[in-house]
Amino acid sequence: MKVLLIIFFASFPLTAQLIFSEIMFDLEGSDSPNEFVEVYNSGTDSVDLSFWQISDKFSTDELVDGGMGTIILPDRYALIMEGDYDEAAGIYLNLIPDSVLIVRVDDSSIGNGLSASDSLFLSDSTGVVSDSLGWSDISASGFSYERKRLDHSNTVANWATSLDSLGTPGFLNSVTPPPVDAALIASSIIHSPENPTLSDVVTLTVTIFNEGTETISGVMEVTETSDLLGSSSFTDLSDSDTTDIAISIGTFSSGQHLLTVSLLVNGDADTTDNFAVYSLTVQYTEKVLTLNEIYYAPDAGIAEFIELAVLSSDQLDLTGWHFSDSDTSNLRYLPGETVSAGDLIVISNDSSLLPHLPLNGILLVSPDGFPTLNNSGDDIFLFDPAGTVNDSISFSDDWGGGDGRSLEKLNPQLDSPDPDNWGTCTAVEKMSPGSDNSILVETLPEAGNILLDPNPFSPDGDSFEDELRISYSLPFAQAYLTMQIFDSIGREVRTLARNLVTGAEGILTWDGRFDHGNRARIGIYIIKVEAVDQSTGQSVEWVKTAVLAEVLR
């Protein structure tokens, strides 16, 4: 479709308030004798059109009596028709009001015949130009071009294609705004502060435009579901004017909120532009999702994945949550699923991991794809809908995992950036997507510590670093201690203590041999320590990783 380009000429002194109000210059089929020009007397005095002239780019015509005289009254229309238009049988029969003055040009065409690229000048009997208009690239054959507001200046914005076939000759233009018509400019809505937190009071600012012809007053409201969050009234907004309304809408919980902004004006003729839905995102100030397992160096044929654990105590809408690897310019958004407290969410490149998940497992595939994680280590960032980093990790292959085994966190509550909180998956399947981690420590100690020294150790009989000393400091005065050693695939290979009665501190050693006395191979071993308070029954657990560096000789 072509675009209307209206060219407006320099201003001329007006001897009378006669203006162009409608032009019909392109009809279906032949234009002649059905072109017309509508003018409007916006003054307070009658005007005699005798000896007035109308010109296009090529020729000039004089206006002559069409049988109704040549006097146009104030606040009235007049139609300038072609000289051979037949009022009794023409296409505008029963369309032109009987009271409208009709004058004609002194030949069979207005100017040289109006065209798709043309211009018009209306001049009084002394040759002074009363109004002018130019246009090019016209579309919509059979539709006139109408002036929107007769009391507004002759600008591009004040003209539009008629809504009615054949136009509106001699009566109110179809594009004239109604008396009352307010509009809410949806694209103008902003909120402050720009990135609100739980404690920030949010203010919404909205621009209102008066598209009608009368001065208006009204109310702006903001709701979420059916709850009114705030409102503000405005008064005496003039036609074609705008105003900005600021509404304080209080504080919000973290996450995304869909707000409805409503403009209420009595008698509004068009309410389709009085409403807008606005998305407000409030950042999370506490960790509600955390990285829990990373499969960065998979066996052939198995897809990489990351697993997230839901720490939120309530349901969590994942809409707007996104993640990336070290390339934070390439963000991947999660599908808008709702998850519950304690859920484990597996994110991968496709659905091929489904057979490895439990029946109730949650596998999400981002529409933006999945990054290729580096086998030597990588960065992973988890962003909330506000774009704030909610969790992150910068891991290397010496944290654990690799060679087809995933990297697991000891407990979802632990901090992700701390390498001591991660270890190699010991499950037979080498990974545990959607299930509890194989090295999960269910009870986190409130105090105490486990130290391994030396680590790595080499039980080769040279009297140097031959034993692994496991020092423990417990948060209990007396406890029952169990200490077990597992190989890299989760098999228990040595029990150093089982329900050993102990004080708050002590040291156990491992000589690098299995329970049956065989020497252990080089590799990674998992040290699991559990202590139970003799008085209260309260328990704590630790899981540590030890490296046996050489085979016994």
Side-chain angles (χ1 to χ4, degrees), residues 59 94 126 328 373 402 447 467 485 503 521:
S59 62
N94 299 324
T126 65
T328 55
L373 301 176
E467 292 184 329
I485 299 175
R521 296 179 180 274

Side-chain angles (χ1 to χ4, degrees), residues 226-269:
S226 59
D227 297 328
L228 178 64
L229 304 180
S231 65
S232 181
S233 60
F234 63 94
T235 58
D236 300 328
L237 182 61
S238 302
D239 68 293
S240 299
D241 201 1
T242 61
T243 187
D244 291 336
I245 304 295
I247 305 173
S248 177
I249 53 177
T251 60
F252 290 82
S253 60
S254 298
Q256 287 191 305
H257 298 265
L258 290 181
L259 310 180
T260 300
V261 186
S262 305
L263 174 59
L264 308 176
V265 176
N266 289 334
D268 198 328

Side-chain angles (χ1 to χ4, degrees), residues 179-201:
V180 179
D181 185 13
L184 181 158
I185 310 302
S187 61
S188 73
I189 303 176
I190 58 174
H191 67 268
S192 63
E194 184 177 355
N195 194 13
T197 64
L198 287 167
S199 59
D200 290 327
V201 175

Side-chain angles (χ1 to χ4, degrees), residues 464-476:
F464 178 72
E465 298 183 343
D466 281 340
E467 292 184 329
L468 176 67
R469 293 183 299 277
I470 307 168
S471 304
Y472 56 88
S473 176
L474 307 178
F476 312 128

